[in-house]
C-alpha cells in the first residue's frame, strides 16, 4: 500500500513539474511578444508639413516586429524591424548607393548632388555620412523642379538627426505622395534592419528621425 501511494505521489509530482515547465515556456514566449509601440524603438507619432502620423498597432516579437501608422489625411506608414542571421546578410538588405556619375548640382548646406534621368523620372542623389539619399521627381510633376525637392529633403535631414546607431542607411523619397508606401528609409544596426515605408516623403523621414534606435 505504501508503495502504491509512493508511485502515485511520484507521478503527481512529475505532472506538476511538466505543467510548470510548460507554463514557464509560455510565459517566456509571451514576454517576447510585441503588442504596443512602447515595446519597440518606433516613435508613437511623427508630424511633418501638416501630416500627423499616429501609431495605431504593433505586432510581432522583439526580434521581428511591425508598427502601423495612420493619419487623418489618409496618409500611412509602417515601421519594421527584421533580425537576420549575420551582419553581412543584414547589410545586404540596405540599398546603399555610393557616388554616382552625372551632372552635379548644388543643394543647400553646402551639399553637392548628382542628377540623373531615366524612364520619365529625375533622380537627385547624394551621400550624407553613412547614408545615401535619393530624391525622385516625376517629369510630369509641374509643382516644382527636382532640385527644389532635393533641397527640401536635404533641409529636413539637416534639421534633425537620423538614427545614430545605423551602420549604413538608405533613403529613397518621391516628390508626389504615393498611393502605396513607396517612400522608404532603411538602416542596418548589426544584425538588425529597420525600415520605414510611407505614402508621404517628409512624414516617412520624420518617423525615422523620431526613432529610438
Amino acid at each position: 500500500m505504501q508503495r502504491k501511494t509512493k508511485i502515485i505521489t511520484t507521478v503527481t509530482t512529475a505532472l506538476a513539474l511538466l505543467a510548470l515547465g510548460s507554463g514557464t515556456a509560455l510565459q517566456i514566449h509571451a514576454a517576447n511578444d510585441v503588442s504596443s509601440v512602447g515595446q519597440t524603438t518606433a516613435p508613437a507619432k511623427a508630424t511633418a508639413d501638416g501630416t500627423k502620423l499616429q501609431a495605431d498597432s504593433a505586432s510581432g516579437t522583439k526580434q521581428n516586429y511591425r508598427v502601423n501608422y495612420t493619419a487623418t489625411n489618409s496618409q500611412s506608414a509602417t515601421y519594421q524591424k527584421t533580425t537576420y542571421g549575420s551582419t553581412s546578410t543584414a547589410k545586404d538588405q540596405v540599398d546603399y548607393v555610393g557616388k554616382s556619375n552625372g551632372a552635379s548640382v548644388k543643394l543647400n548646406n553646402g551639399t553637392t548632388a548628382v542628377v540623373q534621368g531615366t524612364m520619365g523620372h529625375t533622380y537627385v542623389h547624394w551621400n550624407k555620412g553613412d547614408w545615401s539619399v535619393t530624391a525622385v521627381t516625376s517629369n510630369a510633376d509641374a509643382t516644382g523642379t527636382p532640385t527644389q525637392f532635393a533641397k527640401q529633403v536635404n533641409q529636413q535631414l539637416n534639421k534633425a538627426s537620423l538614427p545614430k546607431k545605423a551602420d549604413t542607411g538608405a533613403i529613397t523619397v518621391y516628390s508626389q505622395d504615393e498611393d502605396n508606401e513607396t517612400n522608404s528609409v532603411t538602416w542596418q544596426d548589426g544584425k538588425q534592419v529597420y525600415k520605414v515605408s510611407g505614402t508621404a516623403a517628409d512624414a516617412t523621414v520624420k518617423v525615422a528621425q523620431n526613432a529610438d534606435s
Side-chain angles (χ1 to χ4, degrees):
M1 188 69 178
Q2 286 181 340
R3 178 171 179 171
K4 185 176 181 181
T5 302
K6 185 175 182 180
I7 292 174
I8 293 174
T9 302
T10 302
V11 172
T12 303
T13 303
L15 289 173
L17 288 172
L18 181 61
L20 177 61
S22 176
T24 303
L26 288 173
Q27 289 174 358
I28 292 173
H29 179 70
N32 193 44
D33 287 345
V34 167
S35 59
S36 68
V37 67
Q39 296 172 285
T40 74
T41 59
K45 58 184 178 180
T47 302
D49 195 25
T51 297
K52 297 181 179 180
L53 290 172
Q54 182 72 42
D56 53 19
S57 67
S59 59
T61 65
K62 290 182 178 179
Q63 289 74 35
N64 303 281
Y65 57 71
R66 176 188 176 104
V67 177
N68 296 315
Y69 296 83
T70 54
T72 54
N73 58 356
S74 300
Q75 300 292 351
S76 64
T78 58
Y79 182 110
Q80 290 180 280
K81 174 186 176 181
T82 306
T83 301
Y84 292 89
S86 66
T87 299
S88 59
T89 302
K91 184 178 181 180
D92 290 340
Q93 311 308 311
V94 180
D95 294 326
Y96 177 87
V97 180
K99 292 183 178 180
S100 303
N101 296 321
S104 62
V105 61
K106 292 289 185 180
L107 303 182
N108 38 5
N109 301 103
T111 301
T112 300
V114 172
V115 180
Q116 296 176 323
T118 181
M119 298 181 67
H121 290 81
T122 299
Y123 299 78
V124 181
H125 171 77
W126 66 99
N127 295 95
K128 185 177 177 65
D130 295 322
W131 291 78
S132 70
V133 187
T134 304
V136 187
T137 305
S138 169
N139 294 345
D141 184 1
T143 60
T145 68
T147 301
Q148 286 175 327
F149 175 57
K151 285 182 177 180
Q152 292 173 6
V153 175
N154 193 41
Q155 183 177 11
Q156 181 178 359
L157 294 176
N158 282 289
K159 281 184 176 180
S161 299
L162 291 163
K164 294 180 180 179
K165 292 183 179 180
D167 295 320
T168 186
I171 299 171
T172 302
V173 287
Y174 293 78
S175 60
Q176 293 178 308
D177 291 348
E178 301 292 314
D179 293 333
N180 298 318
E181 294 178 355
T182 307
N183 300 282
S184 66
V185 181
T186 310
W187 66 97
Q188 171 216 357
D189 179 7
K191 295 180 180 180
Q192 286 77 40
V193 172
Y194 300 85
K195 183 175 183 177
V196 182
S197 304
T199 54
D202 49 4
T204 302
V205 173
K206 193 60 179 175
V207 171
Q209 289 176 318
N210 288 358
D212 291 334
S213 67

